[in-house]
Amino acid sequence: MAVAVLVAARLLRGSGYWGRRSRFGLPAHRQFSSGGAYANIPLSTPLPGVPKPIFATLDGQEKFETKVTTLDNGLRVASQNKFGQFCTVGILINSGSRYEAKYISGLAHFLEKLAFSSTARFDSKDEILLTLEKHGGICDCQTSRDTTMYAVSADSRGLDTVVGLLADVVLQPRLTDEELEMTRMAVQFELEDLNMRPDPEPLLTEMIHEAAYRGNTVGLHRFCPSENIARIDREMLHSYLRNYYTPARMVLAGVGVEHDRLVESATKHLLGVQPAWGDTGAVDVDRSVAQFTGGIVKLERDMSNVSLGPTPIPELTHIMVGLESCSFLEEDFIPFAVLNMMMGGGGSFSAGGPGKGMFSRLYLNVLNRHHWMYNATSYHHSYEDTGLLCIHASADPRQVREMVEIITKEFILMGGTVDTVELERAKTQLMSMLMMNLESRPVIFEDVGRQVLATHSRKLPHELCALIRDVKPEDIKRVAAKMLRGKPAVAALGSLSGLPSYEHIQAALSSRDGRLPRMYRLFR
């Protein structure tokens, strides 16, 4: 710090400021911009004599549009050019836990953990990582309910090596006994971690899907149940891969690459390749459409010792209530996204500030008014044939009934009057979040891959922003009214002695004010 001060002092001496001293050695009087010697010009008025600024403009089209090419085997190749030395390339596959109805649960979870293991060309995971390291690359695999994604970020000059490696990882995995045993251990550890972690949001998300889509599609377990860990073997995995890892269900997406080079590498490494499980063609593909059933899933658990230490998290009961929304292919998807942003929310100790959602409904109506509410957050999960809008809340177990009533009231208020100011704020925040996220190359990659996988094309950011701007108050009221006509899905975790019955929650969501039916007791 002292060195920095000395350097600053020398710079100031050189500028002449320290040279202008009074007869007593003190610095001469310095006039600031607020002094009378300067004209009082408001910030909203252009400064005189300053040339008019010229800002960069767009002609309504992105400089680099997303290009899509379909190979002879049905595999789609999509690219988005982006300035920079590095690229993100990956294969997205239309597979996941929703397609496991005819199999035992957990295959997609197993394949996620087995990703980037030994293949026909690479003897071990270390060899794959060393190959990527030559191009400054990293790799990752993520599995959701409806999509599996293998991705690599590396120097653009190693594009052909990266695509060849991805093709080998996806189509030629060895799945050795040693790798399967290591994966069983990794899955077991993840299940234990899921049940022990202080943040219950992943477990509640699993529970709300199970309640909303009982025993079908996106309601199937995303994580491998513990009883299935020892049962999954190479034959089961090959049977699943044979049906769902087919070229027509794949997209090779790249960001920061030239489209022609990506197509050339895809043709070289992904066209006419014989997969490790044999090329007999998909014969047993599940094309089930999601059926929203509604219902409740409860998990009674002692949450008093979830987080120990000098500042432990208090004992909480967590409730998540959800209603069916719509798929991301429908026009109402954008109004639902705006509604979700308008609800917002967060934790009671979240630091405030512009853009953090402190003016969202769940902050203003819930967290600011009820000091005992620990958390209230809105979530929107959307798939190709359904969607789920949820509110997650947590509070002391003694106030569960009151907490549930506050959530049901907020759901009812969604179908009420929509203030123009709050709507514009939510739309602006949604557009801001969209554009900010799309600054990141991996996020652009995922956006390109998922859109092309679902629709064979991609809506560009300015098109999405135009759709967001077009949302009107009546659109919010319409989609909310449609959503409120359905049955609710409820997930509850913790001490549940004060939890209202499912029938009472359903009755509250069907009422005008969202109140739970009164309970009268003869003896107290």
Side-chain angles (χ1 to χ4, degrees), residues 70-77 91-96 99 103 111 148 150 167 170-173 237-252 270-287 453 456:
T70 304
L71 302 185
D72 293 341
N73 60 358
L75 184 140
R76 283 154 283 170
V77 181
I91 295 176
L92 290 91
I93 307 164
N94 193 6
S95 73
Y99 300 106
Y103 301 88
L111 288 170
T148 301
Y150 298 80
V170 173
L171 298 175
Q172 304 285 339
L237 292 168
H238 275 178
S239 174
Y240 179 84
L241 291 166
R242 190 175 297 112
N243 285 316
Y244 294 102
Y245 277 43
T246 58
R249 300 177 69 89
M250 294 182 184
V251 169
L252 173 68
L270 289 162
L271 195 61
V273 178
Q274 179 81 4
W277 46 88
D279 193 13
T280 58
V283 293
D284 202 15
V285 176
D286 185 359
R287 292 185 170 83
L453 192 63
H456 296 257

Side-chain angles (χ1 to χ4, degrees), residues 287-354:
R287 292 185 170 83
S288 302
V289 176
Q291 302 295 318
F292 189 93
T293 60
I296 185 167
V297 172
K298 296 186 287 187
L299 183 56
E300 187 90 27
R301 179 180 290 178
D302 179 15
M303 306 287 283
S304 59
N305 59 352
V306 166
S307 176
L308 303 176
T311 55
I313 295 175
E315 181 181 1
L316 299 170
T317 294
H318 302 272
I319 306 293
M320 192 176 275
V321 179
L323 292 168
E324 187 177 20
S325 57
C326 72
S327 83
F328 55 69
L329 299 175
E330 297 178 48
E331 291 182 359
D332 285 343
F333 171 68
I334 298 295
F336 268 116
V338 175
L339 173 60
N340 179 57
M341 190 62 65
M342 197 166 71
M343 296 308 296
S348 58
F349 300 109
S350 175

Side-chain angles (χ1 to χ4, degrees), residues 411-446:
F411 268 112
I412 295 299
L413 288 172
M414 289 183 192
T417 305
V418 179
D419 182 64
T420 307
V421 174
E422 72 169 343
L423 177 62
E424 289 303 316
R425 183 186 293 120
K427 286 157 62 174
T428 303
Q429 193 172 353
L430 181 59
M431 288 187 286
S432 172
M433 186 179 293
L434 172 72
M435 300 308 292
M436 184 175 65
N437 287 339
L438 289 174
E439 290 288 319
S440 166
R441 189 181 63 250
V443 174
I444 300 173
F445 157 76
E446 189 171 347

